[in-house]
Amino acid sequence: MIESLLVANRGEIARRIIRTAKRLGIRAIAVHSEADAGLPFVTEADEAVCVGPANPAQSYRNVAAILAAAKSTGAQAIHPGYGFLSENADFARTVEASGLIWVGPGADAITAMGDKINARNLMAAAGVPVAPGTTDPAADLDAAVAAAAEIGYPVMVKAAAGGGGMGMSVATDEAALRTEYDKVRSFAERMFGDGSVLIERYFPRVRHVEVQILGLADGRVVALGERECSVQRRNQKLVEESPSPAVSPELRERFLAAAVRAGEAVNYRNAGTVECLLDPSTQEFFFLEMNTRLQVEHPVTEYVYGVDLVEEQLRVAAGLAPTFDPDALAPHGHAIELRINAEDPKRFLPGPGAITTWNEPAGAGVRVDSGYVAGNPVTPFYDSLMAKLIVSGATREEAVERAKAAVAQFEIAGPKNNLPFFAELLENPEFLSGDYDTGIVSRMR
């Protein structure tokens, strides 16, 4: 097993990775910005190095500073978490070229899946269902209009290099497309350095369902079930659950088989997620993208499948066999994750501030992966995620009841937070029935 691990991330995910590393006897090394010096992940690591000021470009995305920290601390491996440099193929190559172990998929797989058009074409060739859309970037507005006319409105205008729900817009007709195309292209150039745009069929009522895959050290790719991710605001997830209440055993078999084919198509190693859109009226699903990293919502899979995905990541990176039997994977019970963000619960706008009260819920089937404690400031420099509240139960109904109790027990004061939204959601008849889609939040508002 790896002996020393540098975690190139912050907040709850850094703290969560450090927890598993220390359980396994691995020396855990944190890197942090000046703004994060007092956060729990820094104090809980065996060693910590400041890599720059608050600006992520000068700290958490500062490759030279992170590699220097790895060298000075004698780190053997680097885990990138999610966000920041986690899906940066050049960083992965640089880490390995420096003689370090990269705890993630190979750079070639990251590159292949990083461009959405290339990813779509690869998946189609591998027999994974893809939604009607362009196979090459729409070179200009006229090409986008022609593509949309062939696909049929409404269409999704999407940045080819985008991710995390950013760089996407819906056009219901040609006039809207002419406006949205320029908006998405400009945004993509500014945010991703790549203005390539693709056009896809937009499904007005759709569910967002993803499959957790793990490429093992022996070359096999296995699927650890699906997660329902349809509770979203601005195309970004707020709630995830596993198993999906929309997925039958027969559909699950098709989902998992397609996800395995997707991983095999790019010789995938380590943890990744195959994201899909599910049309609930036809039970058809279509490839959306592959996230070549550990997902924010991985804990619900850990509960339902009884694995520690960070431990499995480390084992794959070290060339070791998994702790579980790949031929005997089966879901047990139900788990739900709520993303506790520093944002107002109505408009979901960021609301940073100093935490004056922080009391986490506890009890059977309750887990909190948090990045903060009372006294810490939630700064405006990073994502608004403060913690993840994960609940599990023998049934979905039991998990929901535990979620209601946990939300009521969770006390946060100082920054704005979305706990009131979750209290509302957990009483919503649509959510309680399990028959909901990606429009549920907008219908609640």
Side-chain angles (χ1 to χ4, degrees), residues 281-292:
S281 64
T282 64
Q283 293 289 283
E284 291 182 286
F285 64 89
F286 305 98
F287 173 82
L288 179 63
E289 63 182 356
M290 183 187 289
N291 293 127
T292 52

Side-chain angles (χ1 to χ4, degrees), residues 101-434:
I101 297 172
W102 169 251
V103 184
D108 289 346
I110 296 175
T111 299
M113 293 293 99
D115 183 302
K116 287 182 170 53
I117 293 177
N118 183 60
R120 273 175 50 89
N121 295 342
L122 279 173
M123 294 301 99
V128 178
V130 297
T134 51
T135 56
D136 294 300
D140 52 33
L141 180 55
D142 289 340
V145 169
E150 183 176 345
I151 295 166
Y153 288 97
V155 295
M156 178 71 81
V157 187
K158 185 184 297 185
M166 298 189 294
M168 298 191 295
S169 186
V170 177
T172 56
D173 54 32
E174 183 177 329
L177 176 60
R178 289 183 177 277
T179 299
E180 299 307 319
Y181 177 86
D182 287 336
K183 285 183 181 177
V184 171
R185 189 180 187 97
S186 297
F187 179 86
E189 288 175 345
R190 188 169 65 252
M191 291 296 294
F192 312 120
D194 182 350
S196 300
V197 172
L198 62 86
I199 309 297
E200 288 182 351
R201 169 76 55 81
Y202 173 72
F203 298 90
R205 185 172 188 268
V206 72
R207 298 183 76 131
H208 187 148
V209 181
E210 63 188 24
V211 178
Q212 175 69 59
I213 63 170
L214 186 68
L216 304 180
D218 65 9
R220 286 182 292 173
V221 177
V222 298
L224 290 88
E226 85 285 351
R227 296 185 289 253
E228 174 73 54
C229 307
S230 296
V231 180
Q232 304 179 359
R233 53 101 171 96
R234 296 191 294 275
N235 297 314
Q236 295 178 322
K237 304 163 189 172
L238 289 172
V239 177
E240 301 91 2
E241 58 179 311
S242 183
S244 165
V247 175
S248 65
E250 182 275 333
L251 180 57
R252 178 172 298 113
E253 188 174 324
R254 289 195 285 130
F255 253 123
L256 271 55
V260 168
R261 287 199 301 274
E264 291 174 341
V266 291
N267 298 314
Y268 203 85
R269 299 293 174 271
N270 220 279
T273 299
V274 179
E275 303 208 15
C276 299
L277 298 178
L278 170 65
D279 185 339
S281 64
T282 64
Q283 293 289 283
E284 291 182 286
F285 64 89
F286 305 98
F287 173 82
L288 179 63
E289 63 182 356
M290 183 187 289
N291 293 127
T292 52
R293 53 172 167 78
L294 189 67
Q295 292 278 88
V296 176
E297 57 270 25
H298 73 274
V300 294
T301 296
E302 295 185 319
Y303 264 123
V304 173
Y305 281 83
V307 300
D308 180 328
L309 283 170
V310 171
E311 178 177 359
E312 302 306 331
Q313 285 191 287
L314 294 169
R315 294 184 69 85
V316 171
L320 302 175
T323 61
F324 58 86
D325 181 353
D327 299 318
L329 286 168
H332 299 283
H334 199 93
I336 301 171
E337 175 182 286
L338 312 177
R339 299 192 188 191
I340 312 302
N341 296 327
E343 60 187 25
D344 80 74
K346 292 292 184 183
R347 296 182 299 163
F348 305 113
L349 298 177
I355 299 173
T356 56
T357 301
W358 183 276
N359 294 320
E360 298 177 1
V366 176
R367 164 179 163 183
V368 179
D369 284 11
S370 61
Y372 298 87
V373 294
N376 291 152
V378 178
T379 67
F381 307 115
Y382 313 112
D383 187 89
S384 64
L385 181 66
M386 294 187 290
K388 301 181 308 198
L389 172 58
I390 309 106
V391 295
S392 63
T395 64
R396 184 174 190 265
E397 292 71 23
E398 183 177 46
V400 168
E401 290 304 312
R402 286 178 171 172
K404 291 179 183 179
V407 166
Q409 293 168 16
F410 210 144
E411 294 181 301
I412 302 173
K416 295 177 181 179
N417 69 81
N418 57 355
L419 284 169
F421 165 76
F422 292 123
E424 180 185 354
L425 176 75
L426 293 167
E427 297 291 350
N428 180 279
E430 191 178 344
F431 180 78
L432 292 176
S433 73

